[in-house]
Amino acid sequence: AAMLKAQAVPVDIWGRPVDVSAADWVRMNDGQHLNDSLIDFFVSMLVGLLGGSRLHAFSSHFYARLAGPEDGADQASTDQGWQRVRTWTRAVRRRHVTGIFACDYLLVPLHHEEEHHWSLAVVCRPWAAIDQLDNWASASTTTVAFLDSLYSTSSESRQETVVQKLCQYLECEWRVCGAVGTFQASRVQAVVVDVPQQTNNFDCGIYVLEFVLQLLQHPWRLAALGQHKVTFQVCADAPRRRWHDAAMKLREMKKAAPA
């Protein structure tokens, strides 16, 4: 029901509207892969309804843009990735001097181009890896939690690369915030969350939406990522049914809305 209130929520949390075309809506049908427009539309809508000020969701294009071509290992190459996305959190930095480090959770949709696959990374407590924080914060840990509905033997090496790229990004982002101290990648741990596995090769985007919805509906799940067991429930027989129904109703509401 909450999804149907989205007509009152501007879907532009990344500073630009998320445009969903008729061709995009067709991808909500069975057997279709969700594309970037649908992932961005639903994630931004859910964050707008349920997220709060301590959570930030990146665009589905963020990680691909950050990773870019194969960069070198030197500092100049590390900065190249951040340069490609340096303006993407400008609005967040305007709201708070420490930018995304004022957030407790960062949602990062991941699109794995070669596998045509979506998964989700959640950066928990990004501020905990800063070496100048007070003792109460130093007891916390920055965690990158991976929620992947099609986990395979190749997932581990892929996730190592994601953690490396995200740590490089956070290090550069902290420097721009103008605060003292440095971001310490050694204080970041990666965890793989045990989540329901899809039974086909096209429902990965639906599972990402389910994970986001259930994390935001029950904030204790966010707090528990990487620390305690978190249980997700996805209807294995028809996982996209409620998303398809919501999408069709939202589409009709958009058609009926005054121009």
Side-chain angles (χ1 to χ4, degrees):
M3 286 188 282
L4 298 183
K5 299 177 183 177
Q7 60 177 354
V9 180
V11 188
D12 61 354
I13 61 169
W14 303 302
R16 58 189 183 281
V18 179
D19 186 23
V20 180
S21 68
D24 295 329
W25 288 121
V26 171
R27 290 178 173 270
M28 296 303 301
N29 294 331
D30 284 338
Q32 298 286 320
H33 285 88
L34 268 59
N35 64 5
D36 52 351
S37 294
L38 291 169
I39 294 291
D40 285 346
F41 177 82
F42 280 107
V43 170
S44 62
M45 183 183 70
L46 292 171
V47 169
L49 289 168
L50 304 170
S53 61
R54 302 286 292 183
L55 181 142
H56 177 74
F58 286 99
S59 158
S60 64
H61 296 278
F62 168 78
Y63 179 75
R65 183 69 173 164
L66 171 68
E70 286 297 321
D71 296 327
D74 59 6
Q75 187 61 54
S77 297
T78 296
D79 290 348
Q80 285 176 8
W82 177 81
Q83 286 288 345
R84 290 191 287 266
V85 293
R86 63 187 178 83
T87 63
W88 291 36
T89 54
R90 187 165 46 195
V92 185
R93 291 197 294 269
R94 281 198 293 261
R95 290 196 300 269
H96 197 285
V97 65
T98 57
I100 57 174
F101 292 92
C103 298
D104 292 324
Y105 305 101
L106 309 174
L107 304 183
V108 187
L110 302 171
H111 186 244
H112 312 289
E113 191 70 34
E114 292 183 1
E115 296 91 348
H116 301 289
H117 177 59
W118 290 101
S119 66
L120 179 69
V122 183
V123 182
C124 307
R125 300 167 297 278
W127 40 262
I130 308 303
D131 65 2
Q132 57 85 42
L133 290 176
D134 296 333
N135 290 334
W136 68 269
S138 61
S140 301
T141 302
T142 297
T143 299
V144 180
F146 290 98
L147 293 79
D148 190 340
S149 62
L150 200 62
Y151 195 85
S152 67
T153 53
S154 64
S155 299
E156 186 173 345
S157 61
R158 187 172 61 209
Q159 289 167 358
E160 288 177 358
T161 301
V162 172
V163 172
Q164 178 188 31
K165 295 290 186 181
L166 289 177
C167 284
Q168 290 172 350
Y169 168 78
L170 292 169
E171 179 183 354
C172 294
E173 189 75 2
W174 179 252
R175 291 203 308 263
V176 169
C177 290
V180 297
T182 56
F183 183 87
Q184 300 291 326
S186 60
R187 296 187 182 181
V188 178
Q189 67 171 2
V191 298
V192 176
V193 181
D194 184 13
V195 296
Q197 298 293 287
Q198 63 194 81
T199 57
N200 53 51
N201 65 354
F202 48 78
D203 274 336
C204 49
I206 294 294
Y207 276 72
V208 166
L209 298 183
E210 279 289 344
F211 298 153
V212 172
L213 174 62
Q214 294 181 39
L215 287 171
L216 298 185
Q217 280 183 323
H218 307 284
W220 66 265
R221 284 186 167 127
L222 273 171
L225 286 178
Q227 301 185 70
H228 306 286
K229 182 176 176 59
V230 180
T231 302
F232 295 86
Q233 295 182 338
V234 180
C235 178
D237 294 334
R240 73 170 62 211
R241 182 176 298 160
R242 66 169 169 176
W243 294 97
H244 175 273
D245 293 346
M248 295 305 103
K249 290 178 182 178
L250 287 166
R251 185 181 182 186
E252 291 305 313
M253 290 162 61
K254 182 179 179 181
K255 287 182 179 178

